[in-house]
């Protein structure tokens, strides 16, 4: 119960200014049509449900692959499911932001018609550094606009962290080798 209470109080998206740059942290990804403001507002909407009295009702309807894309007319559990799926499950999507939930392959093995969410042309968060995990086959990736930190600890890879200096360009990768806890598949 204590762990669930702690988990319910965590942020689904965290945004901060560091040395003149912006850092947005999420578990998995951000839909290409969302701005930082959209992401923060939708995360806050989800957080209020996770922390509120309707949690049990929401959890019964939270899981599912539909709808698989965002549109402003979404309401209720369908709206929240898209937010949950984007922030916690997203890897690949179409140029229009339609999410794929089947593939967990590396970015180089994108299913036909799909691409990593962070490579969608015109992504509205392209001017912000986004730190995320959730994609162990992607591994460590450090670009001016991205920090991918899932390096497969559960599969026998490393547990990775990044120490950021005075600016977002000052990055130090810190890794600890992990014993394999699960076998792929």
């Amino acid at each position: 119960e204590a762990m669930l209470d702690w988990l319910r109080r965590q942020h689904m998206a965290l945004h901060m200014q560091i040395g003149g740059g912006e850092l947005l942290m999420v578990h998995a990804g951000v839909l290409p049509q969302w701005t930082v403001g959209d992401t923060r507002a939708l995360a806050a909407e989800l957080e209020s449900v996770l922390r509120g009295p309707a949690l049990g009702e929401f959890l019964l309807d939270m899981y599912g692959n539909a709808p698989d894309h965002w549109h402003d007319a979404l309401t209720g559990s369908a709206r929240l499911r898209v937010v949950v799926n984007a922030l916690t499950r997203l890897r690949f999507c179409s140029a229009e932001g339609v999410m794929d939930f089947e593939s967990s392959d590396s970015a180089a093995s994108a299913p036909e018609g799909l691409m990593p969410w962070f490579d969608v042309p015109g992504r509205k968060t392209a001017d912000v550094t986004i730190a995320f995990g959730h994609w162990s086959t992607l591994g460590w990736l450090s670009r001016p606009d991205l920090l991918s930190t899932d390096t497969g600890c559960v599969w026998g890879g490393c547990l990775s962290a990044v120490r950021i200096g005075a600016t977002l360009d000052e990055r130090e990768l810190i890794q600890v080798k992990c014993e394999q806890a699960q076998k792929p598949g």
Side-chain angles (χ1 to χ4, degrees), residues 2-148:
M3 291 295 289
L4 181 58
D5 184 58
W6 176 84
L7 189 59
R8 290 176 68 193
R9 299 195 188 295
Q10 301 310 302
H11 293 284
M12 297 298 295
L14 190 59
H15 178 250
M16 60 188 68
Q17 301 283 330
I18 298 175
E22 291 182 77
L23 177 65
L24 179 64
M25 293 184 282
V26 297
H27 175 77
V30 176
L31 285 173
Q33 61 267 44
W34 291 352
T35 64
V36 169
D38 295 334
T39 305
R40 291 178 68 194
L42 291 166
E45 195 175 313
L46 176 60
E47 290 164 9
S48 72
V49 173
L50 293 173
R51 295 173 186 156
L55 175 66
E57 180 182 324
F58 170 66
L59 291 177
L60 291 173
D61 203 30
M62 180 178 80
Y63 295 102
N65 294 344
D68 61 4
H69 63 284
W70 176 257
H71 54 88
D72 292 331
L74 284 170
T75 60
S77 59
R79 177 183 178 92
L80 293 172
R81 193 176 312 113
V82 170
V83 176
V84 166
N85 285 340
L87 295 175
T88 67
R89 297 177 64 199
L90 183 59
R91 290 183 182 106
F92 294 108
C93 65
S94 71
E96 296 76 32
V98 176
M99 295 180 277
D100 171 72
F101 302 115
E102 300 302 317
S103 179
S104 59
D105 292 336
S106 71
S109 302
E112 187 175 339
L114 301 175
M115 62 195 83
W117 64 267
F118 49 80
D119 284 337
V120 172
R123 177 172 57 93
K124 290 187 177 180
T125 54
D127 60 339
V128 174
T129 301
I130 300 181
F132 65 100
H134 181 68
W135 197 348
S136 63
T137 56
L138 181 62
W140 167 248
L141 179 62
S142 180
R143 304 187 332 200
D145 63 331
L146 292 174
L147 278 168
S148 170

